[in-house]
Amino acid sequence: MERTYHTQMEAARKGIVTPEMEKVAQKENYPVEKIMRWTASGQVVIPANRLHTCIDPNGIGRTLKTKINVNLGVSRDCKDYDIEMQKVMQAVNMGAEAIMDLSSHGNTEPFRKKLTSECPAMIGTVPVYDAVIHYQRDLNTLTARDFIDVVRLHAENGVDFVTLHCGINRDTIKEIKAGKRKMNLVSRGGSLVFAWMSMTGEENPFYQYFDEILDICREYDVTISLGDACRPGCLADATDSVQIGELLRLGELVARARERDVQVMVEGPGHVPMDQIAANMKVEQTICHDAPFYVLGPLVTDIAPGYDHITAAIGGAIAAMNGASFLCYVTPAEHLALPNVDDVHEGIIASKIAAHAADIAKGLPGARDQDDHMADARRKLDWEEQWKYALDPEHARKIRDSRLPEDDHSDTCSMCGKFCAVRSMNKALSGETIDIL
Amino acid sequence: MERTYHTQMEAARKGIVTPEMEKVAQKENYPVEKIMRWTASGQVVIPANRLHTCIDPNGIGRTLKTKINVNLGVSRDCKDYDIEMQKVMQAVNMGAEAIMDLSSHGNTEPFRKKLTSECPAMIGTVPVYDAVIHYQRDLNTLTARDFIDVVRLHAENGVDFVTLHCGINRDTIKEIKAGKRKMNLVSRGGSLVFAWMSMTGEENPFYQYFDEILDICREYDVTISLGDACRPGCLADATDSVQIGELLRLGELVARARERDVQVMVEGPGHVPMDQIAANMKVEQTICHDAPFYVLGPLVTDIAPGYDHITAAIGGAIAAMNGASFLCYVTPAEHLALPNVDDVHEGIIASKIAAHAADIAKGLPGARDQDDHMADARRKLDWEEQWKYALDPEHARKIRDSRLPEDDHSDTCSMCGKFCAVRSMNKALSGETIDIL
């Protein structure tokens, strides 16, 4: 059956319920009419390129469950496509709803196509990274046309969302050169656009040719993720005029995208002190017309390299509770090295914890069910039942089994042994004598 | 020189500036008059038993830096005093301001005395745990007098603060028996008091003989940490009538302690959904007359055994930003096993991150300095300088060194290699051509 619409947003606005909306409604326990209404307004996006036929679609928006993204991709220091594909499937199995392919080495197209033909998660890319690699020419030799052609290529490859750093312009160059910031720009894509503009003297191609980009995204239903080139890279730069100035430009672009029925979300900080996170979420909602907010972190301190999955979990949980709807995972290797398989695992778990805790705090229907089952299992000291509801059962079981209580108390663990409060309470409530010695 | 006061609070109320107040003022960058005023009102406590002469004193209160506590102690499943003492000194070196000795095996007094004669951190204990061990008699054979005598013994041993579960009474037994809760009581000490009351039919000795306890604490300047026997052990039980009912009784006891110039803090939850944390902090402040709030967690989800240092870091950071002043560390082994050396390390780091992020959010003077230095080092891609300001330099260095970029770019790391945003920006701002291929 031929589609009578270009994008999910266009369909929603025409009152058409798409199969993707049906799936999202089912997953989120909402009537499909609500999903349609939110998709029409842009408060919810359903990134699903019409060519990515194996996708298991998900909606992103603050009224829905918080989603997480995992960054992967081959690079000069990790070239093996098979290992990377294994990481992708591991991430999907652990519950990641999106994979961003940040490949920056070799022939990137086959891996990208493999992802959109085999992977059920949403696939995102950052075309500006790929431009250098795709053309095998250094940055200063590329033209604005080259960049736009890469966006088209990714759309044709079935990518569901693309990060485009449309919000920096020549004013940004002036501000940064005036020394307004401690960390300048820390967005990889943003720094490439900045460098290209500096070297060529031209305007940002992703801003200048935004209408042409909208044509491409409309044709394939690629969701635009408006990159935050100016996200703060340290607490000192958080919520400054450079960041908010870019946000104002992104707000305008959200409106322009929606005029063409192109789905759009907005990327956000970065490094932000805890007391500024709620304000950041609120400002994004007002300035960007309630477009879904996709945040990296935010990291709540700069001094914890090696543990930035934790600093990001704190910030991400607070952000999601206050309106962010999509969390980019951060691994313990952030700021230090390419994450290995263990780092990817730790990063995903930390993000899932943040997302889940926020969903409970938002009072989403059924969000706390798993926690309640866990509590019941704990009260019964039923360990097999506890593993059923644990986020990472294998890891939890391993810790307990490595240090069982010395005495034969299969009901307790070695943390408290016979002092176990649950054991004491169960005995007290059933009238048994408590033996502790 | 003989002391003309019993407790720090009495001194403060008499307008006497003690050496302990001087030290606290220096550490917190406040004039000593402020510390004295806060100590007089009870908003700040300085736990320092007059017999713990080697203490490096610290203040606890919401206007001061957030402090962290590390639980250690020998148990049936970990009997070696020397290993435990090593863990204590490791914790102190990592920045723990307090150590709670939860020893529950063997002859506990020598280890307790060793702590108060060698360790500069505040030492806390939970006398009700020790009662069973000290007398080597099972719970139902102990008398109210036995419990009070153990409190005195700990005071004589130089302990700076004692957790006493004074807030449960026979009404609590009724409520719990009526099945008001999913997880009943999960406080180890609270469950022992509950069990003892159930078995003997008597009233809670720590409540009934509270005046006598105040005499002991006044004599040695032992700070009372009012234990939250009824802290929620799962999200479903959070902020319920059982918890808040106990808090009301604790508020009365705070007032009674302060009448005798006895320093007092209040212990708090537990497992709490994120959206309830700020309310919990506010209610504690009003009901308990702004007594310092000492929280365990709060854990923001129940489903992450093996990662509860992360769920606690999220909750602890939010709690501390909203008024908690003292965080009890939680390790990855929580709910599963006795923590090993690695778990203790992970738990301390996660707590330090939460405490530090909260201090920044509270806007404490100088709280962000270390972060700003880190940002400067990052902008300069000066890795040796970054290690200087990292919370765990050894760990961070190890990650970077294990996966250096393949090409000779000593300035970047393998996360981005030549795509490093900082490198690109530095080159762009100095007018250099960016080489990425």
Side-chain angles (χ1 to χ4, degrees):
Chain A
M1 199 180 76
E2 205 171 332
R3 271 163 71 140
T4 57
Y5 53 87
H6 294 89
T7 69
Q8 296 292 327
M9 184 177 229
E10 189 191 357
R13 285 171 168 184
K14 288 179 168 169
I16 300 168
V17 168
T18 65
E20 290 78 12
M21 291 174 206
E22 302 260 27
K23 280 238 174 114
V24 170
Q26 211 174 350
K27 287 184 185 181
E28 306 279 349
N29 300 312
Y30 279 121
V32 73
E33 291 70 27
K34 266 199 175 169
I35 301 296
M36 191 180 73
R37 206 165 63 235
W38 287 330
T39 307
S41 75
Q43 181 191 321
V44 161
V45 296
I46 305 176
N49 186 311
R50 57 196 311 163
L51 301 179
H52 184 187
T53 48
C54 67
I55 196 170
D56 179 18
N58 274 296
I60 299 173
R62 64 180 167 74
T63 45
L64 309 183
K65 287 174 201 148
T66 307
K67 309 301 185 297
I68 72 161
N69 171 70
V70 169
N71 291 333
L72 291 169
V74 288
S75 66
R76 191 182 286 265
D77 294 302
C78 184
K79 301 188 182 73
D80 191 322
Y81 282 93
D82 288 334
I83 289 179
E84 221 52 26
M85 199 64 198
Q86 278 171 26
K87 284 192 205 165
V88 166
M89 295 320 292
Q90 175 204 2
V92 172
N93 291 336
M94 287 179 69
E97 289 89 1
I99 303 288
M100 285 193 82
D101 172 20
L102 306 188
S103 290
S104 61
H105 184 77
N107 186 1
T108 55
E109 195 174 5
F111 186 62
R112 200 160 48 239
K113 286 166 101 169
K114 191 173 168 69
L115 281 173
T116 58
S117 63
E118 294 180 16
C119 180
M122 295 177 252
I123 304 299
T125 60
V126 189
V128 72
Y129 299 172
D130 193 39
V132 176
I133 304 304
H134 177 73
Y135 296 109
Q136 286 292 305
R137 292 189 346 242
D138 237 322
L139 195 61
N140 56 336
T141 71
L142 298 176
T143 64
R145 169 61 37 213
D146 291 332
F147 289 116
I148 307 306
D149 286 345
V150 172
V151 176
R152 186 184 308 278
L153 177 68
H154 285 212
E156 289 168 355
N157 288 165
V159 164
D160 304 299
F161 65 98
V162 287
T163 294
L164 301 176
H165 301 84
C166 308
I168 58 167
N169 59 19
R170 301 212 63 85
D171 287 344
T172 315
I173 297 189
K174 273 185 229 152
E175 289 184 300
I176 295 296
K177 284 198 169 159
K180 275 200 170 182
R181 285 192 141 182
K182 206 181 252 305
M183 280 294 285
N184 301 313
L185 305 189
V186 297
S187 153
R188 215 154 74 157
S191 73
L192 295 177
V193 175
F194 184 100
W196 185 85
M197 288 165 72
S198 296
M199 292 189 289
T200 62
E202 291 186 42
E203 189 46 280
N204 177 352
F206 298 102
Y207 179 78
Q208 196 170 6
Y209 299 100
F210 192 65
D211 285 328
E212 193 170 339
I213 289 170
L214 291 180
D215 288 339
I216 298 167
C217 292
R218 183 180 166 88
E219 186 177 347
Y220 294 89
D221 199 0
V222 175
T223 300
I224 296 177
S225 187
L226 289 167
D228 55 336
C230 302
R231 71 168 170 266
C234 62
L235 298 187
D237 292 343
T239 329
D240 69 351
S241 60
V242 182
Q243 181 198 326
I244 303 299
E246 181 185 43
L247 193 70
L248 292 172
R249 290 186 290 273
L250 298 185
E252 291 169 21
L253 298 175
V254 166
R256 280 173 62 188
R258 287 179 179 173
E259 277 170 28
R260 301 293 316 281
D261 306 319
V262 171
Q263 301 190 96
V264 60
M265 51 190 174
V266 173
E267 297 185 14
H271 293 232
V272 183
M274 275 201 292
D275 59 312
Q276 296 177 19
I277 295 176
N280 265 276
M281 301 304 118
K282 190 50 81 181
V283 168
E284 188 274 343
Q285 284 167 34
T286 58
I287 301 294
C288 295
H289 320 291
D290 219 356
F293 207 16
Y294 174 23
V295 296
L296 175 63
L299 312 193
V300 296
T301 167
D302 301 333
I303 65 165
Y307 302 93
D308 277 327
H309 60 310
I310 298 178
T311 66
I314 295 172
I318 299 173
M321 177 171 79
N322 285 285
S325 41
F326 193 21
L327 304 180
C328 185
Y329 92 147
V330 172
T331 81
E334 184 77 19
H335 296 113
L336 296 170
L338 206 63
N340 61 22
V341 175
D342 288 343
D343 293 325
V344 170
H345 184 95
E346 290 276 311
I348 293 173
I349 292 283
S351 294
K352 291 294 284 182
I353 288 172
H356 178 70
D359 289 347
I360 292 167
K362 290 199 292 185
L364 292 185
R368 215 190 61 198
D369 290 354
Q370 200 177 338
D371 299 72
D372 290 351
H373 289 307
M374 176 63 89
D376 286 331
R378 281 186 170 147
R379 186 188 60 249
K380 290 182 278 181
L381 288 168
D382 183 338
W383 295 90
E384 288 306 317
E385 190 84 355
Q386 288 179 49
W387 310 146
K388 268 194 213 163
Y389 298 106
L391 200 54
D392 186 354
E394 211 175 309
H395 179 64
R397 185 198 291 268
K398 212 168 111 187
I399 293 178
R400 175 164 193 265
D401 288 355
S402 70
R403 283 158 271 159
L404 286 169
E406 196 179 282
D407 298 320
D408 179 30
H409 300 295
S410 59
D411 51 347
T412 69
C413 79
S414 61
M415 173 100 180
C416 304
K418 276 184 164 183
F419 279 88
C420 174
V422 179
R423 176 178 179 270
S424 295
M425 288 302 296
N426 289 349
K427 282 183 183 279
L429 290 170
S430 65
E432 283 180 67
T433 301
I434 320 289
D435 55 315
I436 288 179
L437 281 179
Chain B
M1 199 179 76
E2 208 172 328
R3 272 163 70 141
T4 57
Y5 54 86
H6 294 90
T7 69
Q8 296 291 327
M9 185 177 229
E10 188 191 359
R13 287 170 166 185
K14 288 179 166 170
I16 300 168
V17 168
T18 66
E20 289 78 12
M21 292 175 206
E22 301 260 27
K23 280 238 175 114
V24 170
Q26 213 175 347
K27 287 184 184 179
E28 305 278 349
N29 300 312
Y30 278 121
V32 73
E33 291 70 29
K34 267 198 174 171
I35 301 297
M36 191 179 73
R37 205 165 63 236
W38 288 330
T39 307
S41 76
Q43 181 190 323
V44 161
V45 296
I46 305 176
N49 186 311
R50 57 196 311 161
L51 300 179
H52 185 187
T53 49
C54 68
I55 196 171
D56 179 18
N58 273 296
I60 299 173
R62 66 180 165 75
T63 45
L64 309 184
K65 287 174 200 148
T66 307
K67 309 301 185 296
I68 71 161
N69 172 70
V70 169
N71 290 334
L72 292 169
V74 289
S75 66
R76 189 182 288 263
D77 293 301
C78 183
K79 299 187 182 78
D80 191 322
Y81 281 94
D82 288 333
I83 290 179
E84 220 51 27
M85 198 65 196
Q86 278 171 26
K87 284 192 203 163
V88 167
M89 294 319 292
Q90 175 205 4
V92 172
N93 290 335
M94 287 178 69
E97 288 90 0
I99 303 288
M100 286 194 81
D101 172 21
L102 307 188
S103 291
S104 61
H105 185 77
N107 185 0
T108 55
E109 195 175 5
F111 186 63
R112 199 160 49 239
K113 285 166 102 168
K114 192 173 166 68
L115 282 172
T116 59
S117 62
E118 293 179 16
C119 181
M122 295 177 252
I123 304 301
T125 60
V126 188
V128 72
Y129 298 172
D130 193 38
V132 177
I133 303 305
H134 177 73
Y135 297 107
Q136 286 292 307
R137 293 190 347 241
D138 237 324
L139 196 61
N140 55 337
T141 71
L142 297 177
T143 65
R145 168 63 34 212
D146 290 332
F147 289 117
I148 307 307
D149 286 345
V150 171
V151 175
R152 186 186 308 278
L153 177 69
H154 285 212
E156 290 167 354
N157 288 166
V159 164
D160 304 299
F161 66 98
V162 287
T163 293
L164 300 176
H165 301 84
C166 309
I168 59 169
N169 58 20
R170 301 211 65 84
D171 287 343
T172 314
I173 296 188
K174 274 185 229 152
E175 290 184 301
I176 295 296
K177 284 196 170 158
K180 276 200 169 182
R181 284 194 144 182
K182 205 180 253 305
M183 279 293 284
N184 301 315
L185 305 190
V186 296
S187 153
R188 216 154 71 158
S191 72
L192 296 179
V193 175
F194 184 101
W196 185 86
M197 289 165 71
S198 297
M199 292 189 289
T200 61
E202 292 186 41
E203 187 48 280
N204 178 352
F206 298 103
Y207 180 77
Q208 194 169 6
Y209 299 99
F210 193 63
D211 285 328
E212 192 170 339
I213 289 171
L214 291 180
D215 288 340
I216 298 167
C217 292
R218 182 180 168 88
E219 185 178 348
Y220 293 90
D221 200 359
V222 175
T223 299
I224 295 178
S225 188
L226 289 168
D228 55 335
C230 302
R231 69 167 171 268
C234 63
L235 298 187
D237 293 343
T239 329
D240 70 351
S241 60
V242 181
Q243 180 198 327
I244 302 298
E246 181 185 43
L247 193 70
L248 292 171
R249 291 186 290 273
L250 297 185
E252 290 168 22
L253 298 176
V254 166
R256 281 174 61 190
R258 287 179 179 172
E259 277 169 27
R260 301 293 317 280
D261 305 321
V262 171
Q263 302 191 94
V264 61
M265 51 190 175
V266 174
E267 297 185 12
H271 293 232
V272 184
M274 275 202 291
D275 60 310
Q276 297 177 18
I277 296 176
N280 266 276
M281 300 304 118
K282 190 52 81 182
V283 169
E284 187 275 342
Q285 284 166 36
T286 57
I287 301 294
C288 295
H289 320 290
D290 219 357
F293 206 16
Y294 174 23
V295 296
L296 175 63
L299 312 192
V300 296
T301 167
D302 301 333
I303 66 165
Y307 302 94
D308 277 327
H309 60 310
I310 298 179
T311 66
I314 295 172
I318 298 173
M321 177 171 78
N322 286 285
S325 42
F326 193 21
L327 304 180
C328 185
Y329 93 146
V330 173
T331 81
E334 184 76 19
H335 296 112
L336 296 170
L338 206 63
N340 62 21
V341 175
D342 288 343
D343 293 325
V344 170
H345 184 95
E346 291 277 312
I348 294 173
I349 292 283
S351 295
K352 291 293 285 181
I353 288 172
H356 179 69
D359 289 347
I360 292 167
K362 291 198 291 183
L364 293 185
R368 215 190 62 199
D369 290 354
Q370 200 178 337
D371 299 72
D372 290 351
H373 289 307
M374 176 63 90
D376 287 331
R378 281 185 170 148
R379 187 187 59 249
K380 290 184 278 184
L381 288 168
D382 183 337
W383 296 90
E384 289 305 316
E385 190 83 357
Q386 287 178 51
W387 309 147
K388 270 194 214 165
Y389 299 107
L391 201 53
D392 186 354
E394 212 176 309
H395 179 62
R397 186 200 291 269
K398 211 167 112 188
I399 294 178
R400 176 165 192 264
D401 288 354
S402 70
R403 283 158 270 160
L404 285 169
E406 196 178 284
D407 299 320
D408 178 29
H409 301 294
S410 58
D411 51 347
T412 68
C413 80
S414 60
M415 172 102 181
C416 304
K418 277 185 163 181
F419 278 87
C420 172
V422 179
R423 176 176 178 271
S424 295
M425 288 302 295
N426 289 350
K427 282 184 184 278
L429 289 171
S430 65
E432 283 179 67
T433 301
I434 320 288
D435 56 313
I436 288 177
L437 281 179

